[in-house]
Amino acid sequence: MEDRKPLLQVRNLKQHFKVSRKFYVKAVDGVSFDIYPGETYGLVGESGSGKSTIGRSVIRLYEPTGGEILFNGMDISGKLDKDTNKALRMNMQMIFQDPMASLNPRKKVLDLIALGLDIHHPEMNAEERKKKVYDILDLVGLSHEHANRYPHQFSGGQRQRIGIARALIMDPDLVIADEAISALDVSIQAQVVNLMKEIQQKTNIAYLFIAHDLSMVKYISDRIGVLHYGHLVETGTTDEIFSNPVHPYTKSLLSAIPHPNPITERDRKAMNYDYASSGIDYTKGTLTNIGGTHMVLATEEELEKWTK
Ligand SMILES: Nc1ncnc2c1ncn2[C@@H]1O[C@H](COP(=O)(O)OP(=O)(O)OP(=O)(O)O)[C@@H](O)[C@H]1O
Ligand SMILES: [Mg+2]
């Protein structure tokens, strides 16, 4: 994987919000990670850790306070010129948590899904446009007759499929899914995640999959980044993170997951981690490689202590 060129490179990304004359919230404070074509990068961390802010900065709903974002080798972190903006709008798409809120209730599914085409390919004729929508409906497991219905006539899982269809019709290289399945029933979550995986195998699309449910992230991600207070504290392949968690925050997250096996579940000990009393200062650590693609945010002393 490492000899391929990354699709997305996030370098020392900072997103600070001014909340009063003197105070800033450092929602994201120096985060770096790469996403390769066709892979799923899972971003996990507790509420308020900065996950959505990273997603929104990457798709440029915000202008980053600092750092660099490269997409297909193109710098998309500063002011965007017209061509770069257009390339970004077409090749990077977002799936939202609440599809109902992002779907105009007065529009038919056909028009909702075709929205991106209407904006970026106004030259397309009605026949082609409809064919494109039907192809995408096939891909996400909805039927052609669904195209003539309205959003309220669908279940939550079906609506999320409409949201996915809408993102996919642009044939994007990267889809950012921010808690895209969190509002769904567990059984439907599995269906939608499996659908996303299937589509990935067919199209080589990459996902930035944002969630706080670690078991879903484990299931879908090739690599994982663990976020805490706006810092990436640990990253690596799903296996590296789950079989050998090093950072105390990652350990506490993993120890909170119940084991399916009742025998090991009996011996599971939840680990508490309190940043304020831990003596750890995230701004003093550096993201250090500890083998393979496994990296941990730590000072030399911390790393020695945690890997002993
Ligand atoms: N526009 C904004 N203005 C000011 N502060 C913000 C803004 N957006 C986010 N924040 C703050 O930045 C921090 C990170 O927020 P963010 O929404 O990225 O967290 P999150 O990890 O997505 O949380 P959740 O799991 O609850 O969705 C929070 O402290 C939040 O209050
Ligand atoms: Mg969020």
Side-chain angles (χ1 to χ4, degrees):
M1 183 184 289
E2 295 320 305
D3 46 273
R4 286 193 293 149
K5 278 218 295 234
L7 174 66
L8 181 78
Q9 295 167 275
V10 176
R11 294 273 160 274
N12 201 22
L13 176 68
K14 293 184 182 175
Q15 195 73 62
H16 299 175
F17 296 110
K18 193 166 189 165
V19 286
S20 71
R21 194 173 330 173
K22 281 204 191 116
F23 290 100
Y24 287 86
V25 175
K26 296 183 174 177
V28 178
D29 204 22
V31 163
S32 304
F33 63 94
D34 292 339
I35 302 183
Y36 288 84
E39 84 164 337
T40 301
Y41 192 81
L43 210 47
V44 293
E46 67 195 36
S47 183
S49 55
K51 304 182 296 293
S52 296
T53 304
I54 290 178
R56 291 190 186 134
S57 305
V58 166
I59 204 165
R60 285 304 309 271
L61 291 174
Y62 301 138
E63 175 152 7
T65 311
E68 272 129 46
I69 306 170
L70 301 179
F71 182 55
N72 274 327
M74 221 170 14
D75 186 354
I76 57 162
S77 37
K79 284 258 180 294
L80 299 177
D81 61 50
K82 216 172 148 217
D83 289 345
T84 314
N85 192 44
K86 177 155 192 204
L88 180 63
R89 296 291 149 239
M90 292 174 74
N91 295 324
M92 202 191 282
Q93 299 291 323
M94 193 149 180
I95 310 174
F96 295 93
Q97 170 167 13
D98 178 7
M100 204 52 192
S102 59
L103 298 175
N104 184 337
R106 283 184 298 271
K107 287 215 154 134
K108 285 186 181 168
V109 166
L110 175 75
D111 298 319
L112 289 169
I113 294 180
L115 188 72
L117 294 179
D118 297 344
I119 296 171
H120 295 289
H121 296 286
E123 77 289 351
M124 196 175 273
N125 69 41
E127 216 35 52
E128 264 181 284
R129 178 177 179 268
K130 199 182 210 171
K131 169 146 195 332
K132 272 254 182 193
V133 171
Y134 283 176
D135 288 348
I136 293 290
L137 285 172
D138 291 340
L139 192 63
V140 302
L142 292 171
S143 73
H144 294 188
E145 56 161 25
H146 282 138
N148 291 313
R149 299 198 196 158
Y150 294 90
H152 73 266
Q153 297 172 303
F154 291 88
S155 71
Q158 286 174 323
R159 258 180 235 141
Q160 202 49 282
R161 285 167 193 260
I162 298 172
I164 294 172
R166 205 183 185 191
L168 292 181
I169 200 152
M170 299 309 293
D171 195 16
D173 298 323
L174 177 67
V175 165
I176 300 174
D178 186 358
E179 306 275 4
I181 57 162
S182 310
L184 304 173
D185 286 352
V186 176
S187 63
I188 312 289
Q189 283 188 352
Q191 279 179 24
V192 174
V193 165
N194 285 334
L195 172 70
M196 288 174 68
K197 279 187 155 187
E198 250 173 63
I199 291 171
Q200 186 172 53
Q201 271 148 23
K202 286 182 195 155
T203 62
N204 204 38
I205 204 168
Y207 296 123
L208 174 58
F209 189 85
I210 298 174
H212 56 260
D213 177 2
L214 262 174
S215 49
M216 213 34 100
V217 170
K218 179 183 183 183
Y219 180 62
I220 193 171
S221 305
D222 300 298
R223 291 188 303 124
I224 290 177
V226 181
L227 207 63
H228 197 215
Y229 291 148
H231 293 266
L232 197 76
V233 298
E234 188 158 359
T235 185
T237 63
T238 303
D239 188 50
E240 285 165 343
I241 298 291
F242 275 81
S243 61
N244 179 29
V246 169
H247 196 282
Y249 179 65
T250 313
K251 286 185 169 169
S252 78
L253 272 187
L254 295 188
S255 75
I257 307 175
H259 297 179
N261 177 346
I263 307 209
T264 56
E265 170 64 12
R266 206 169 45 206
D267 298 329
R268 178 173 66 90
K269 283 194 191 65
M271 282 185 45
N272 288 318
Y273 172 64
D274 176 43
Y275 179 63
S277 63
S278 67
I280 299 171
D281 180 349
Y282 291 157
T283 63
K284 294 219 163 76
T286 33
L287 201 58
T288 311
N289 190 302
I290 60 159
T293 63
H294 197 171
M295 310 225 260
V296 180
L297 180 70
T299 62
E300 270 176 47
E301 287 152 19
E302 284 162 356
L303 200 59
E304 202 184 305
K305 199 165 92 189
W306 298 340
T307 53
K308 211 166 38 199

